[in-house]
Amino acid sequence: MRSLLAWGGLALAAGLLAGTGAELLPRAHLAWRLLGAADDPPALARLRLEAVATPDRVADAIDAAVAAQDDTLAQSFLELADGRGIPVDAARRARVAALGEGAPLRAARAFADGALTGQADSGVGLAGAFAADLTGLGDLRALAREGGHLLRDEPHDPIVLGLAGVGLAATAATYAGGLGAVARGGATLLKTAHRSGRLSRPLATHLARLARESVDPGAVRALALAAGRLDLAGARTAARAGLRTGAVAELTALGGQAYALQGRMGTRGVLQVLSLARSPAEVSRAVRLAEGMGPATRAVLKLLDRAALVIGAVLMELVRTVGLALGWCWGVTLFCRRLGLAIGRLIWAEPRRARTPCGAGIGHRAPSPLATAAGA
């Protein structure tokens, strides 16, 4: 009876381990791979794309990009589909190609809007904003507007003031070449993203702190006064004199990352990243993602959102899944041990105890040598 119960328990344990393992082990394997790719944005994105980059979803995303007249995003989805072997019908490819043919007219309007308003969502629009900032007029215009609010003690935008000051100081270095172009372009990108409402809230808060710390308060008022008089030379002098090196270096580094992204993803791609990233570290991870994914980066970000950049809130769930898998392995080890013992007992049964000879009953005891000597 005991043997039957033991074998029944082993059979039940085997069923439970098999049932839980079939579901747990694939999840644990994926969790382990995700944890291993936590510091490698391209590898992390590729792993997560396996579940979401389906033909239907890619097709819907291409249609949405075409409807929004976002030719670079539509082309990015085509790159992603071709790279992963996802079929895309000829009609969709034709619509993407037709969208690209209408780009020149949109480009002319975008350049004018960028130059006049400082807002842009394309490379040409950014070129217009950059052209205005390169002469100093765009920054002077922003300083005159926001500086006027500051001088009248009205609500003002510290991000625009700080970036305009940094931009004015970088303009002279831009003409001389070197890192000035990166600082100038980065400041324009960040200012454009902010004015277009494309910065994520945490990143905007961080940028506002950097902008406030980068320019001395007294220099801000001098900048505002010079801008109000349309004194470009005076504004540049005040900007160079009032910059604080430490905060400006951090601000310039963030702008440089945005500038690098613009070269790889285009203006809309940069704005897409800045709307998702919550810190400069995540912007840096986006640069690494763009280096690894190439033209498909915008499509990856569209499908995965911030999950393309960070493990996120699922980190503890991934760790728990791996821990459960380790516990399952320990359970398998114990099961194998018990099964081995049971099989050993079945094959090598315990020998019966030898029978005692006749006349040597349970109560009979052989005389000890001491008793024998005493009797003699």
Side-chain angles (χ1 to χ4, degrees), residues 138-147 149 156-168 184 187 190-196 199 204 207-208 211-212 214-215 220 223 251:
D139 290 325
L140 195 66
R141 178 181 58 207
L143 283 169
R145 182 179 59 252
E146 297 301 329
H149 295 318
H156 62 281
D157 193 331
I159 295 180
V160 171
L161 283 174
L163 289 174
V166 172
L168 279 175
R184 170 69 279 171
L190 294 176
K191 188 170 63 174
T192 300
H194 171 62
R195 294 193 61 187
S196 303
L199 287 177
L207 188 59
R212 283 193 300 268
S214 62
V215 184
V220 171
L223 276 168
L251 188 63

Side-chain angles (χ1 to χ4, degrees), residues 248-373:
V248 168
E250 191 174 349
L251 188 63
T252 303
L254 178 59
Q257 290 172 345
Y259 193 71
L261 280 172
Q262 199 274 338
R264 293 182 177 274
M265 300 175 59
T267 301
R268 288 184 173 180
V270 179
L271 299 180
Q272 185 179 1
V273 168
L274 294 177
S275 69
L276 295 176
R278 296 181 181 178
S279 67
E282 293 187 11
V283 178
S284 178
R285 292 176 70 87
V287 174
R288 293 170 58 194
L289 178 67
E291 292 172 351
M293 302 301 295
T297 305
R298 286 201 65 198
V300 171
L301 289 171
K302 190 68 175 179
L303 288 175
L304 298 179
D305 206 73
R306 288 186 67 247
L309 303 176
V310 293
I311 289 289
V314 299
L315 174 61
M316 294 308 299
E317 177 65 21
L318 295 176
V319 173
R320 189 176 73 89
T321 301
V322 173
L324 288 174
L326 293 176
W328 183 89
C329 292
W330 178 247
V332 170
T333 301
L334 295 179
F335 169 79
C336 292
R337 178 179 179 275
R338 295 296 299 175
L339 181 62
L341 289 174
I343 293 175
R345 286 171 181 167
L346 183 64
I347 296 176
W348 296 285
E350 183 179 357
R352 294 181 180 179
R353 305 177 77 178
R355 293 183 179 274
T356 56
C358 212
I362 297 177
H364 179 76
R365 181 180 300 172
S368 66
L370 292 176
T372 306

